[in-house]
Amino acid sequence: LRYEWNEKWGESSERVAWYSYDWANSVYASVCITLFMPLLLTVLAQRAASSQGPAESAELSECAGTCSRSAGCPLAVQECRACVSNEGHWLWNGEKFEDLPTRTVWFFGQVEAFTFATRVLSVSVLFQAFVFITFGALADYGSGRKWGLAISAFGGCGATVAMMFVSDPSAYLAAAWLTIASNVGFGAS
């Protein structure tokens, strides 16, 4: 009976290894790709766009013309306590709301900072498709199957760990390429 079980389902050590690997992959997809990386990419892109972009012309120096109840602002909840530069999409000029200029960053063309993470993940899926087509046959028929798995898994892990060291908003492009490398390594493994 044990021989038939092993023939059908494999050795128990192989199954445990596969279950562990699948568990790690599932955690990566559900936590990193859907939660942490988009948040990190969006924050880095917004800060980079705010520090370099056209929204600096909308900076306020003394809360003049801010949205407050005494100034007649229809959306004011409380009086102005402090002005925050480069935050939000509207500016109260004392009479009406004005749209602030759109903040953009460059990644294969100008993209709004808020949608930067979506573009990065879309590009990573395109890279994944290229890698699947190119290296899929090697993994199916070649003798380097385990080496390919190890290289893609550890490469993706390395790129994910390297994201911890990206905190400067001017390094938003490095974060984008690390996300692409991480996602391609995840998909190829």
Side-chain angles (χ1 to χ4, degrees):
L1 184 63
R2 180 179 175 156
Y3 177 75
E4 291 173 4
W5 175 269
N6 288 344
E7 277 294 312
K8 186 172 184 178
W9 302 106
E11 293 291 327
S12 63
S13 62
E14 290 176 0
R15 279 186 282 124
V16 169
W18 177 251
Y19 296 156
S20 301
Y21 177 75
D22 186 51
W23 172 79
N25 258 350
S26 299
V27 169
Y28 172 81
S30 62
V31 174
C32 288
I33 290 295
T34 60
L35 182 65
F36 291 125
M37 285 189 186
L39 288 174
L40 178 66
L41 290 171
T42 301
V43 167
L44 287 176
Q46 286 177 339
R47 289 185 181 168
S50 293
S51 67
Q52 69 181 334
E56 286 191 21
S57 63
E59 274 191 44
L60 301 174
S61 58
E62 299 177 4
C63 280
T66 58
C67 184
S68 65
R69 281 183 270 165
S70 61
C73 177
L75 296 179
V77 177
Q78 59 186 357
E79 294 297 321
C80 175
R81 294 185 186 171
C83 295
V84 180
S85 301
N86 298 316
E87 290 293 326
H89 300 286
W90 294 334
L91 174 67
W92 178 253
N93 68 3
E95 297 174 10
K96 63 178 184 151
F97 284 106
E98 293 179 2
D99 287 329
L100 290 174
T102 304
R103 295 182 196 102
T104 61
V105 292
W106 188 91
F107 188 71
F108 293 105
Q110 292 295 322
V111 62
E112 286 188 38
F114 185 72
T115 59
F116 175 69
T118 306
R119 174 148 321 164
V120 170
L121 291 176
S122 299
V123 169
S124 75
V125 170
L126 291 174
F127 275 91
Q128 276 184 344
F130 174 75
V131 168
F132 293 166
I133 293 168
T134 306
F135 298 108
L138 294 174
D140 289 339
Y141 300 107
S143 60
R145 180 179 309 185
K146 289 182 181 178
W147 279 107
L149 175 65
I151 289 170
S152 63
F154 285 117
C157 288
T160 304
V161 169
M163 291 287 285
M164 290 190 312
F165 303 106
V166 179
S167 60
D168 185 25
S170 64
Y172 74 95
L173 282 175
W177 287 109
L178 285 171
T179 301
I180 291 170
S182 160
N183 204 17
V184 168
F186 160 72
S189 62

